[in-house]
Amino acid sequence: MTQRKSALRALMLGSAAGLSLLASGAFAQECTTKIGAVLPTSVDWGRPIAEVAQFAVDQVNEAGGAAGCKIEMVLRDSQVDPKVGVDAAKALVDLEGVKVLLGAVSSGVSMPILTSVTAPSGVMQMSCCSSSTAFTKLAQEGGTKGLWFRTFATTAVQSAVGAKVAQDKGYKSVAILYKNDDWGQDMARLIAADFAAVGVEVTASVAINDAQPSYRAEVTEALGSQPEALYLALYPAEGTSAVREWISLGGTQKMIVANSLKSDEFRDNVGLQYLGETLGTDTASPRAESADAFRARYVEKFGSEPNGPGLANSYDATMIALLAMEAAGPDASGADVAAAVARVTDPAGTPVSADAAGFAQAREVLAGGGTVMYQGGTGNVRFDANGDVSAPAVVWSFTEGGTSEVEYISLDDVDAFIASLR
């Protein structure tokens, strides 16, 4: 009789321990949920974006996973190519069965993935680095089905700050070289209007296509308009070739560049000696404790400063997507996860940090029916009805070690300047 009582007591204790482990998320390692990522790992500035997304996944797994399971990020290289990106996304959705997709970086890759893969399949897409205003328009028309979010501010911010730089430098005329894709076309349209609003003449606006053996014809066209300065909305590969042509033909070294050229590859291949008068624009992390905390974690993990484009945005995109998966619960659809984003970015919710401890705290709050306010590398992220965010901005210059901040522009000042342009 004593043995039977002891056995029963052991069984009860074991059951209680098992329930406790389950509640704590320790059983998360017993199952795995896959999320997809389509990011440009074959280019030097794209690899860190993917690495920091994996870092966020590792933090969540350290906290016990999301929605009861360990998370596996299945990563595919977009090669900054729309067709490659779409094929990669289809494989992730159709073969891997992902309900959440991170990516892409270029708007020209993200848009066809959204319209031909994720939205038709009911998969939530969270981009770290796509800024075209075409997504806003598509969302307003119902084309995103509420499945699209991005942690990077729209091109309207960079465009406005580019015009501010030209105004502050006293430039009277500017030529534009832009990448001939959704992002570049959007940038060229916006920046031309913003230059005009501050009294800067656009002497030429010339499209640059991918993988041409030479950009001499395009550069000659822009140079022939005799601008005082040059604006570049290009990526490092074509940007390097175009600027080399520009300099060799006697073009001015007074250049304003979008954040896509915030690249060691571009700086080194062009030569720092030709970039001394170049100023770049970018969105910026707020001057907040959460941004400082992200920087410290990044330096500890990777041994370098998070100076590349989109790093804090990529971390936040991944963390928010996984928090939404936690809020939506097991077996949630992509639409369920998308709907849960509001629960984890609620301004009135419980503040949680962007690390393993913060995720574990969020799990408890969400399990109790509450909401959380995620505080990450880009601050307290808040999405509007179109899945868009706003952000402060920064003007930067190239240095031997990377880039250096020239001016920080607060969110209020960014919004005020944009309003003045309109």
Side-chain angles (χ1 to χ4, degrees):
M1 188 70 174
T2 302
Q3 289 180 337
R4 291 180 64 185
K5 286 183 177 179
S6 297
L8 180 60
R9 183 172 182 272
L11 178 63
M12 291 173 66
L13 289 171
S15 298
L19 288 171
S20 176
L21 286 169
L22 181 61
S24 70
F27 280 175
Q29 308 307 315
E30 298 297 321
C31 62
T32 299
T33 299
K34 294 179 179 180
I35 64 170
V38 180
L39 299 167
T41 55
S42 56
V43 295
D44 75 324
W45 51 268
R47 286 189 295 275
I49 291 173
E51 289 168 354
V52 79
Q54 182 61 56
F55 180 39
V57 171
D58 294 342
Q59 292 284 292
V60 170
N61 285 334
E62 182 183 329
C69 291
K70 177 182 177 181
I71 299 300
E72 177 187 352
M73 186 178 81
V74 185
L75 176 63
R76 296 289 181 267
D77 183 13
S78 72
Q79 300 178 32
V80 202
D81 183 299
K83 185 179 184 305
V84 173
V86 167
D87 288 345
K90 284 182 177 177
L92 290 169
V93 172
D94 295 341
L95 301 181
E96 302 290 350
V98 303
K99 301 299 182 185
V100 171
L101 183 77
L102 304 174
V105 170
S106 165
S107 295
V109 179
S110 293
M111 181 61 82
I113 290 176
L114 176 63
T115 56
S116 65
V117 183
T118 53
S121 302
V123 171
M124 188 187 85
Q125 185 175 344
M126 178 78 76
S127 173
C128 68
C129 314
S130 295
S131 59
S132 172
T133 56
F135 294 100
T136 304
K137 182 179 179 182
L138 185 66
Q140 290 169 343
E141 295 170 347
T144 66
K145 301 181 181 179
L147 297 166
W148 164 259
F149 300 87
R150 51 179 164 179
T151 54
F152 198 86
T154 72
T155 44
V157 173
Q158 279 208 70
S159 171
V161 177
K164 183 180 185 300
V165 170
Q167 182 184 54
D168 291 348
K169 296 295 289 184
Y171 298 150
K172 301 302 181 185
S173 62
V174 175
I176 300 168
L177 293 177
Y178 66 91
K179 186 175 176 67
N180 196 16
D181 67 359
D182 287 348
W183 169 76
Q185 292 163 13
D186 195 44
M187 281 296 301
R189 176 181 61 83
L190 290 169
I191 196 69
D194 289 346
F195 280 146
V198 296
V200 177
E201 178 190 1
V202 176
T203 60
S205 185
V206 184
I208 296 289
N209 294 307
D210 281 333
Q212 290 183 201
S214 170
Y215 295 111
R216 182 166 288 260
E218 291 85 353
V219 168
T220 300
E221 179 183 350
L223 193 59
S225 67
Q226 299 183 326
E228 184 180 354
L230 178 67
Y231 182 83
L232 296 163
L234 299 171
Y235 286 107
E238 67 272 10
T240 298
S241 298
V243 171
R244 281 175 170 175
E245 294 276 14
W246 179 265
I247 297 297
S248 70
L249 292 173
T252 177
Q253 294 182 27
K254 296 176 180 177
M255 292 181 277
I256 305 170
V257 303
N259 75 316
S260 52
L261 291 180
K262 195 178 186 181
S263 157
D264 291 346
E265 174 191 6
F266 173 75
R267 179 201 62 209
D268 294 343
N269 290 338
V270 170
L272 185 61
Q273 67 270 31
Y274 301 114
L275 299 171
E277 294 185 79
T278 297
L279 290 172
T281 64
D282 200 358
T283 55
S285 296
R287 300 309 195 239
E289 289 184 9
S290 64
D292 294 339
F294 165 76
R295 176 196 161 278
R297 284 193 302 274
Y298 185 95
V299 171
E300 181 181 6
K301 172 67 176 179
F302 297 103
S304 62
E305 295 286 339
N307 288 330
L311 298 181
N313 308 82
S314 179
Y315 188 90
D316 286 351
T318 308
M319 270 290 189
I320 291 168
L322 295 176
L323 280 166
M325 288 176 64
E326 176 69 32
D331 303 317
S333 67
D336 293 334
V337 177
V341 168
R343 288 191 63 201
V344 301
T345 57
D346 181 3
T350 301
V352 296
S353 57
D355 53 16
F359 199 94
Q361 180 189 5
R363 176 184 291 117
E364 294 182 7
V365 174
L366 294 167
T371 62
V372 300
M373 176 177 63
Y374 171 78
Q375 298 179 311
T378 60
N380 302 343
V381 180
R382 301 179 186 180
F383 298 101
D384 66 13
N386 302 312
D388 290 344
V389 296
S390 190
V394 66
V395 180
W396 51 269
S397 62
F398 285 110
T399 65
E400 289 186 2
T403 61
S404 176
E405 182 180 304
V406 174
E407 180 184 6
Y408 174 79
I409 308 168
S410 71
L411 179 57
D412 287 344
D413 287 343
V414 167
D415 289 343
F417 188 77
I418 290 175
S420 74
L421 294 174
R422 303 293 177 259

